[in-house]
Structure formats: structure tokens, C-alpha cells
Amino acid sequence: MKKILLLISTFSIYSLATLGQQRQYGSKAYLEFLKPKEGLTNVISNQQLDVQLPVTLPITFVLLTKEITKDQLLKQVISLNQDFSNETFLKSENQSAHYKNLATDTEIRFCETFEIIEAYTDKKIDFPLGQEYARKFNELNNNGILVFVTTLENIAGYAQMPGYQIETDAIFIDKSYLYGSSMDGYNLGKTLTHLMGTYFGLGEMWNCEDDGVFDTPLHTVIHTNANKSVSSCYDFLIFEMPENFMDGTPDKFQNMFTRGQKEKMQAELITKRKNLLENITCK
């Protein structure tokens, strides 16, 4: 049985500081920034909407750094759609013998026609400055998912979980982790897939912390390959799932969301993120 995790932070963070180029959970300093602030608007509702699946959601890319092309962004979105549709798993030679029956189409898609806003800056974006940009562009955003592409301070990216203040609702990704970058091991676009999973309520799968999903095994540490290891989070034998997009495994090994993760993301979409369904348009 999984232990119960009380998730108190607003954002999920990929940190690069202590494990070289691996992804790791955020620091205590960041968690102080992430605490919900009083007086800000929350988007929380239990009202379900009638949604025809699969649903295709718009993205707005805000470029805070140069050298990012529209073709690169398009390939990143195509990669997202392959991951969320289960196409990546079906084409993979690395299908888990233990968990391949759980791999599934999430029925969430992203528009391959998207808005690009150029807002270049020479500054490296830390968390407080990122919040300033999120507030600014959320005033202009028309129900699309805000994705900032930038140069971050020693992290691959972070994303706001559902149900918190709309003023800071966004995803930030370092340009080195975008599809087609030069970052060895992390240039196939899976970092944004992971962050988008966080945006729809999924938790990371390491440090034996419960992600609230019934069919994902707890992981002891972040994986560096797809070798099957037995989880030490349990008193009984169970294999970990390094192929899952919510692990920190290098991109070439990642290929699946589970049925439980699909249910979790869809539930968040029709409740806490229902604003995305109110004006679905692919330009």
C-alpha cells in the first residue's frame, strides 16, 4: 500500500544542481516561494463538464530567449502529442514487460498551430522573476497553456499544479531541454511532457512519495536508464517503472502514461482546469 502524501507545494521542479544533468526534485528554498499566497484567486470546482474526447488544447509559447525556431516548437508539440496519445509507447522497443498493459492514450492533445510571443531578455529567470512574467502574460492569455521557454537558474523546468492561483499559472522550461536542443540525453522533448503531466496534476515518482495514482509503483530514486529495479519503498517485491514520463529517466527511455495517470489528468482537466475547455480553438 502506498503511503499518503500531503502535497503542499504549488509547483513541481526539475533541479540540475546536485545530480549533474539528471532531474531532481526542488530545494527547500524554492518550496518557500511555492507556498500559496493569501488574497489570490483559486480555480477550484467540482462541477464536471461534458467533454468530447480526445480534446485538443491550445498552447501559447512565450520566448524569453532567442535561437528558438517555430519548426523546433512544432516538433516539440508533435512530440507531446505522440507521448499523450501513446504513439511513443507503441513505436518503442523499450516496452515494459511488467507494465505494458497499463500504457494508454490519455485522450489529451495539443494544437499544432500555436501562438508565439517574443519577449526576449538577457536575464536568467529565477523563480520570483518567473512569477512576474507569469502574472504579466496571464493578463493577456486567452485560455491557452502558457509555456515560457527561457534560460533558467540550474533547473530544467517547473510547472504549476492545478487548483492554485491563476495569476502565476504557467510552465517554464529551460531552452536546453526543449525538443531538438543540444542537451545530451534530454533533447527528445520529454521534459515538457513531464512538466505538462505536472500541469495536469501528476506527481513525480521518486523518493518513495505517493503520487496519488493507483497503478504507478513508488520509486526509490530517479532512474538513469530503463533497467528494471525492485523498489525498496515496499516490504514486498514490486518493480519500478522507469519508462514512465513522470520519472526523470533520460528521454530515449521514457514512453508511457498509465491508465491511472490518464484518469487523474482528465479529472483535473474537467474540474480545476476547466477554463481550458471553455474556449478551445486551434488557430
Side-chain angles (χ1 to χ4, degrees):
M1 180 181 295
K2 293 183 180 180
K3 64 181 180 181
I4 301 299
L5 170 66
L6 178 61
L7 183 61
I8 61 172
S9 64
T10 310
F11 285 81
S12 173
I13 301 171
Y14 275 156
S15 172
L16 313 180
T18 59
L19 287 180
Q21 299 304 332
Q22 294 181 30
R23 302 161 177 149
Q24 188 185 16
Y25 193 70
S27 66
K28 291 182 179 179
Y30 273 98
L31 293 180
E32 287 301 313
F33 287 118
L34 305 181
K35 291 179 180 178
K37 305 297 189 299
E38 294 182 1
L40 296 177
T41 305
N42 287 346
V43 183
I44 300 178
S45 171
N46 291 322
Q47 179 181 1
Q48 295 192 358
L49 304 177
D50 291 329
V51 182
Q52 183 175 357
L53 297 174
V55 61
T56 304
L57 306 173
I59 294 177
T60 297
F61 286 102
V62 183
L63 304 184
L64 302 182
T65 183
K66 297 181 180 180
E67 303 174 354
I68 304 299
T69 67
K70 183 176 182 180
D71 181 65
Q72 184 180 9
L73 295 175
L74 175 58
K75 290 178 179 178
Q76 172 65 82
V77 175
I78 291 172
S79 177
L80 275 178
N81 284 331
Q82 291 172 342
D83 295 344
F84 275 76
S85 69
N86 204 38
E87 182 179 346
T88 300
F89 179 83
L90 294 175
K91 291 182 176 180
S92 175
E93 297 179 358
N94 181 42
Q95 296 182 1
S96 171
H98 301 283
Y99 297 117
K100 65 180 181 179
N101 62 315
L102 297 178
T104 189
D105 180 352
T106 69
E107 297 189 88
I108 296 174
R109 305 288 189 273
F110 306 94
C111 297
E112 294 183 7
T113 54
F114 44 80
E115 184 178 3
I116 299 175
I117 300 175
E118 298 175 347
Y120 302 133
T121 177
D122 294 329
K123 298 179 181 178
K124 284 190 175 181
I125 306 300
D126 57 13
F127 191 79
L129 185 56
Q131 285 195 312
E132 290 182 20
Y133 275 101
R135 289 189 180 98
K136 176 181 178 181
F137 285 95
N138 267 308
E139 293 178 357
L140 307 173
N141 190 34
N142 185 22
N143 292 329
I145 302 170
L146 272 181
V147 177
F148 289 85
V149 182
T150 184
T151 302
L152 293 169
E153 288 281 4
N154 296 321
I155 56 175
Y158 58 88
Q160 182 162 300
M161 298 285 281
Y164 288 88
Q165 53 266 23
I166 60 175
E167 290 87 346
T168 55
D169 199 22
I171 296 172
F172 283 78
I173 183 171
D174 187 277
K175 66 179 181 180
S176 298
Y177 288 80
L178 202 66
Y179 183 97
S181 73
S182 59
M183 179 62 72
D184 186 31
Y186 300 97
N187 58 2
L188 299 179
K190 309 312 176 190
T191 298
L192 188 55
T193 298
H194 178 109
L195 294 171
M196 197 66 75
T198 300
Y199 184 83
F200 286 108
L202 300 185
E204 281 98 351
M205 295 173 59
W206 53 82
N207 291 342
C208 293
E209 293 184 347
D210 186 13
D211 59 359
V213 176
F214 68 89
D215 61 359
T216 54
L218 300 183
H219 289 198
T220 311
V221 296
I222 302 173
H223 289 78
T224 58
N225 54 50
N227 292 339
K228 302 298 180 294
S229 55
V230 175
S231 174
S232 61
C233 303
Y234 302 89
D235 294 329
F236 50 89
L237 180 67
I238 187 168
F239 286 95
E240 296 184 338
M241 189 188 291
E243 301 90 349
N244 196 284
F245 291 119
M246 300 312 294
D247 199 337
T249 324
D251 287 6
K252 67 179 180 180
F253 300 115
Q254 293 190 339
N255 60 32
M256 64 178 291
F257 287 117
T258 68
R259 299 176 185 176
Q261 288 173 318
K262 169 184 178 176
E263 292 179 9
K264 173 70 171 175
M265 288 191 284
Q266 288 189 359
E268 298 288 2
L269 176 60
I270 64 175
T271 55
K272 299 172 187 175
R273 294 213 175 279
K274 68 175 185 176
N275 63 299
L276 296 174
L277 302 174
E278 293 171 355
N279 185 24
I280 299 178
T281 57
C282 288
K283 298 179 180 179

